[in-house]
Amino acid sequence: MDFSLSDDQLMLQQNARQFFTAQRGTRPARKAMEGDVASTKALWKQMAELGYPAITIAEAFGGAGEGFLSLVPVLEEAGRVLAPGPLPETVGFAVPLLTRLGTQAQKQQYLQGIADGSEIVTLAFYESSCDAFAGQATVTAERTAAGFRLNGQKVLVPNADLATALIVLARTTAGPAGEGLSLFIVDPKASGVQMRLQRPMDQTRPLFAVSFEQTEVGEEALIGPLDEGWTAAEEALRTLAVSLSVLSVGAMDACVEQSAEYAKTRVQFGQPIGRFQAVKHRIVDMKVNLETARSLTYYAAWALEEGSSDRHVAAADAKSFTAQAFVRVANANIQNHGGMGFTWEAEPHLYAKRAKAWENYIGSPEAHLDYIAAAQGW
Amino acid sequence: MDFSLSDDQLMLQQNARQFFTAQRGTRPARKAMEGDVASTKALWKQMAELGYPAITIAEAFGGAGEGFLSLVPVLEEAGRVLAPGPLPETVGFAVPLLTRLGTQAQKQQYLQGIADGSEIVTLAFYESSCDAFAGQATVTAERTAAGFRLNGQKVLVPNADLATALIVLARTTAGPAGEGLSLFIVDPKASGVQMRLQRPMDQTRPLFAVSFEQTEVGEEALIGPLDEGWTAAEEALRTLAVSLSVLSVGAMDACVEQSAEYAKTRVQFGQPIGRFQAVKHRIVDMKVNLETARSLTYYAAWALEEGSSDRHVAAADAKSFTAQAFVRVANANIQNHGGMGFTWEAEPHLYAKRAKAWENYIGSPEAHLDYIAAAQGW
Amino acid sequence: MDFSYTPQEEEFRAELRAWLKENLPPGWLEGNHKLPEDPKEEEAFLRAWQHKLADGHWAGVSWPKEYGGRGASLIEQVIYEEEMARVDAPPQVNAIGIGMIGPTIIALGTEEQKKRYVPKILNAEEVWCQGYSEPNAGSDLAALTTRATLEGDHWVVNGQKIWTSYAHLADRCFLLLRTKENPQNKHDGLTCLLVDMHQPGVEPRPIHQMNDHRDFNETFFNNAIVPKDEVLGEVNNGWYAAVVLLSFERVSVANVAFRLQQAYDGLLAYCKRHERNGRPLIQDPLVRNRLAGYHARVHAAKLNFYRNLTRQIKTGRPGPEGSMDKLYCSELLKELNGYAVSLQGAQGELWQDAEEEGKWQEEYLSSFAMTIAGGTSEIQKNIIAERMLGLPKDIKY
Amino acid sequence: MDFSYTPQEEEFRAELRAWLKENLPPGWLEGNHKLPEDPKEEEAFLRAWQHKLADGHWAGVSWPKEYGGRGASLIEQVIYEEEMARVDAPPQVNAIGIGMIGPTIIALGTEEQKKRYVPKILNAEEVWCQGYSEPNAGSDLAALTTRATLEGDHWVVNGQKIWTSYAHLADRCFLLLRTKENPQNKHDGLTCLLVDMHQPGVEPRPIHQMNDHRDFNETFFNNAIVPKDEVLGEVNNGWYAAVVLLSFERVSVANVAFRLQQAYDGLLAYCKRHERNGRPLIQDPLVRNRLAGYHARVHAAKLNFYRNLTRQIKTGRPGPEGSMDKLYCSELLKELNGYAVSLQGAQGELWQDAEEEGKWQEEYLSSFAMTIAGGTSEIQKNIIAERMLGLPKDIKY
């Protein structure tokens, strides 16, 4: 029984903390808010140089070959500063998916590319008419002589402007939810692909509607077995859910730190406001939420790495609790800052918007709770 | 627009306050806890002399002929001290039911009796196998030459040991929930009636399992039309729900007063604990809960008196909110009192137990919320 | 107890409804409630609307008739708020002037001040702002340090205010500042000045808010000049005038209570219209349960307010109950708006491109200010604790 | 990170399980967990159980082997708590002696004291209680006024303690009191005495609690006599010994975390077994959603504790994290027990006659003490705020 990060992991955390501090905290996030894609690209390049996206990629493909737990410190630090870019989608979804199901050629192209920073992958899963995470899709991929032809529109695709590859859930065979779907990895510059910005509350994380019109992709675009894409996706979505939880824990940690710092320095009625129990105890409630989310999230990360039988439930525990706790903590952080907390220049609103954006991303808390219930046969 | 009690109602409230203060607050409730039925009987007699049970009874039957709102001040004061006895069942259920559906003979016996204090009525609705408030019953009432024969067992009958009459929901014709049920008013001393104490958390309010074995009652025991007892009961249950809410508001008021008083006088760290915002603001939260419950409850009482079309929804609003708010307020009152709040001698536990006892009585908060939804066609 | 209105009150409501039907901006009744995006156009739009309200005597209904109002009773004022919320009428650009500053000048001003300022308020000929909070004097307002010194026949003002709504549009400012240094009691030595905003020494800078609006300002005073007699009330007794001004806020919370009802009705309609997992949201047991719970809580917001109003009518004075209304309504509105965004599922993370043109996102982000501006929820709780429950004041440090 | 146990730890668990199977009171493993109702019988039952534990070396597993313990590691201590919670083992009547007072005597006592007291603790030959709180010194413990004056070769003790668990059964008391009047700092001038409870000057009076139990006492000292050398640690430096004693509480919260899991599992089983409106409660969408939410929160109670434990093992010292565990677990257990009672519907208002023999009512009523005893939730929050977050201390008045 040892519930702590290893010395190597702690060192990774320290390095990541230094790196993001050197980027001046949320400055890259604020650049992204202003639509500065080049800045996010530059940040990604630096992260790749430090080996962050490569951590869980096999050594054969240029990675460090570490387990999921080694990703935790880096994601947590990235979360603290709301680092822009599709980091969770790339390392939390594409890497485990391709590691498990990719062909040798796919691994060589994408895993190696992710490891060296040349590939940035995002997800095209949601559609306006259906919540993709219920295993549905109206985008179609028809068989052609050379591969497949995609038609239809995806929405809420994060960082599609930056990504070099989209993983697309598409229907290959008629069928009910969860069946007849396949996963494709598609170049966003392929013919017939168009994208339109969907203005999000969390402007650090631009979203796009991506449409496919007669988009031809080769046989090699198919990831995993045909028609069984949903099963494949589901497993990787658990890893993504935990990755989002880790990033959220980092962000919550930043919120607690901001509130504590402000409460120590902001003086009203001749006293630091942290002396008033209304503020003081609210920060404690934030802290308890944070540490509880952290416990559940670390445990889920461990369960994923170990392949433990409760890993799916642990992921749902972590995501459902953390998503709600992050909203509570980030919103309390605004209130603790008073009028200042409501300004654009201050940090708290960035976190509150991220919290709300991720509340329902990859399944609402209710959906994850439903999963917990179903998994236990209730 | 005038959201206040009339001068007459305020005077009634003052008198009731004086009366219950003269009874030394919760002393009658504590007597009841010790099983002293005689004491509760004596209290009831005094209340009857002051005309409390008679307020809404027509003048023709010895009552004051007032509307439901005039009951509010008395119930609120009774609630403040957790006055024992089936006051809500008698004035909140039996009186409106008999007023609307009783025969002249029934009115003369029971309304007149309630008005002069000789009749005390309680409800025998719940059964161990079904939640009576879903319109079900397994107790049967078979037709006989002279009337009906009752068989079966009711549970959770409040103050059956004190009551002179039980209103019993029984099945007279086979049918689905809500149909084929009838209401009977039965003398607990009738042959074949047996009662057994069911030890309750709220010992101020003893509950009984009441069984009927071949209990013969006359034709005159039937209240309202045969087989339509549930419809009749439902309307009166709304009045009972509001009555319970009013009593609860009075009890919540006592909790707020106790906490405020204790916080002003209990000194720790050289300060009255009411100076610590953890305590101070919690009492404010209690106060907001109290006043919100009061607003909803007074409004529901007004809607009942006026026969306004939203009276049923208003009753459900009041009962669902108040039931939950009372638990919150009473429990916070214990915490505010620290270790003292956990003792038998101190007042707070009496209120916490009453709150929990009434949380689900006459329908859980969820059931009332369901009603609100259904009533609006959702 | 009586929840009905008198015929006279119903007539007041009917008259207002008829006027609104005639006079709301084009398309407004059909649901187009957008203000012009360009700030200049927005200002012109708002001033025109205010002017139109004044012409119809619907700008300051509580004002005495002699000053262009209607001498409306408290209940009529509430009916006014209810009707304006019902049609989501455009805001009054001079709301602070009309709601608080005008009445304060009428109550405490000299005849000269009344003549000079009051007639230009209702029609927004002169827009007013209110300078109270400072960067280091928020909840602790009396800690303010903006100061004025008398030099000959005028005051010279230096310092910085913050959260001054509409200061960037304002012609005049009701400014609370310090005129005596190191008083024994920090509430002493304050003075209210009526300041011309159009002078070199005054510079409002809009604050960029988390909802991407810029309604509030920082306002810098750098040797700004105020004629000696432009004091409202007495020199060094400005705390009194400042408190009188706040006492005119008594029905403003009605507006929030009615907005709550509007928001709830809108959310309900949304849940009936939108499906999730193949059925209308309203049929989801969790949604149904939660919306039914809000039914009572939203209704109670109005009921609480009506009780407070009745008390005000009977006693003739506002009271700490207003703090309870403010606390209850602002916290509930924030919660309700957050829930509305959650109900949109993953698409709720959009903003302007979200469903219903991003209306819920807009409301959600804006509602964070509601539990802070005009006294934080914590300050309201202190007021309720100390004035309604008699609990001890926080330590005087 | 590693959530598995070493073979040695698993062996420890297996050995304990085997011992419990053999030695638990008759019927206990079959679900009959009732203590005798008669107080005398209950006392005899508890002393016998304690004695049996001691014989098996399962009374004080953390104690050094030389004193009859097992020198168990922190993790083994936690395994012990987990297994005892799993079978809902009877309480140890001398829990305070074993958990805190014995270790404190071993750490700070004289050789003479160790020889005299320690051997009689594990087998409950001498039951101990702890006298800290007073009617006017609860959260503000250092405000205590019970005092001792030295008269010749003995201390004379006067005053009143409260919340002294098991004082009515206790043979000895670990008593914190004042030996110097009007110290500069109220933490100075305190002393810990080891007091014989069987003397005329000591009178414990059981407190009737809201759950109808009488586990706690008021204890009156009226010229009680304590030999001069029965001081633990130094005279006038008793605050130090008092704090050392509390530091031995480090794994006691584990017990609550495991009880939480037991309660949750029991509630889940209840909801699978019981129907409402014709279907098992667990299929009610509201119940299902709420129980799924508790799944994470209950698991987290243990995880939080394990993280704290890991930190303790690495740093070798307890810390304010224990306050977070206590706060989290006690608040959650109270909430969960309340929900369990609610789930019984109208029948939940019964007590001893409720479903499952009133177990949930018993737990619910008892859990109100959990957020108060051993430091209220408010005190825990202050500790967390000040020691984990560096927030300012409450004003020193």
Side-chain angles (χ1 to χ4, degrees), chain A residues 126 128 198-201 205 266 268-269 271 276 282 331 335 338-339 342-344 349 353 356-357 359-360, chain C residues 135-136 138-140 163 208-210 338 342 345-349 351-353 364-365 368 371-372 378 397:
Chain A
Y126 281 99
S128 61
Q198 295 184 291
R199 289 169 295 173
M201 270 200 290
R205 197 168 151 275
R266 168 73 174 174
Q268 289 285 276
F269 304 103
Q271 295 295 324
F276 296 101
R282 184 161 53 216
N331 290 2
Q335 186 71 19
F342 190 66
T343 64
W344 194 270
H349 77 108
K353 287 170 179 172
K356 204 67 186 166
E359 187 184 24
N360 290 321
Chain C
N136 291 313
S139 290
D140 183 13
W163 314 124
H208 194 177
Q209 299 148 209
M210 68 177 279
S342 295
Q347 312 229 22
E349 66 173 305
W351 193 344
Q352 299 88 344
D353 291 323
Y364 174 62
L365 295 176
F368 283 93
T371 58
I372 297 169
E378 292 72 35
Y397 303 102

Side-chain angles (χ1 to χ4, degrees), chain D residues 17 21 52 84 179 184 214 241 243 285 328 346:
Chain D
R17 282 196 186 184
K21 205 168 163 184
K52 197 185 263 186
M84 298 309 260
T179 41
Q184 288 226 301
R214 294 162 196 267
V243 168
Y328 182 91

Side-chain angles (χ1 to χ4, degrees), chain D residues 12 27 71 154 169 282 377:
Chain D
F12 178 91
H154 58 260
L169 305 181
I282 191 77
S377 288

Side-chain angles (χ1 to χ4, degrees), chain A residues 94-255:
Chain A
V95 169
L97 179 76
L98 288 162
T99 297
R100 202 155 50 80
L101 293 175
T103 61
Q104 187 65 14
Q106 284 171 337
K107 287 181 179 175
Q108 240 142 21
Q109 176 171 358
Y110 295 108
L111 290 183
Q112 191 119 24
I114 291 168
D116 69 23
S118 60
E119 294 280 0
I120 302 175
V121 189
T122 190
L123 298 193
F125 265 45
Y126 281 99
E127 298 183 11
S128 61
S129 62
C130 47
D131 201 277
F133 293 100
Q136 292 171 313
T138 66
V139 167
T140 55
E142 279 169 273
R143 267 267 176 226
T144 62
F148 299 87
R149 184 183 301 119
L150 272 62
N151 277 292
Q153 183 176 268
K154 292 287 178 183
V155 299
L156 306 180
V157 181
N159 301 100
D161 54 345
L162 177 69
T164 61
L166 312 169
I167 295 181
V168 183
L169 181 71
R171 184 157 290 286
T172 38
T173 303
E179 294 178 24
L181 301 170
S182 304
L183 293 171
F184 296 92
I185 188 158
V186 180
D187 184 342
K189 295 200 195 68
S191 89
V193 179
Q194 286 203 308
M195 58 184 68
R196 176 176 52 80
L197 179 68
Q198 295 184 291
R199 289 169 295 173
M201 270 200 290
D202 177 5
Q203 298 171 322
T204 67
R205 197 168 151 275
L207 299 172
F208 294 84
V210 178
S211 60
F212 304 94
E213 204 188 327
Q214 306 287 61
T215 299
E216 305 275 350
V217 297
E219 190 71 48
E220 71 282 3
L222 177 70
I223 306 177
L226 189 71
D227 287 348
E228 288 172 27
W230 182 243
T231 316
E234 265 200 307
E235 178 87 22
L237 284 173
R238 305 279 164 217
T239 319
L240 179 51
V242 179
S243 304
L244 293 170
S245 298
V246 179
L247 284 152
S248 300
V249 163
M252 288 160 79
D253 197 310
C255 291

Side-chain angles (χ1 to χ4, degrees), chain B residues 46-60:
Chain B
Q46 287 182 275
M47 292 197 294
E49 277 161 13
L50 289 164
Y52 296 163
I55 290 172
T56 55
I57 292 173
E59 293 178 55

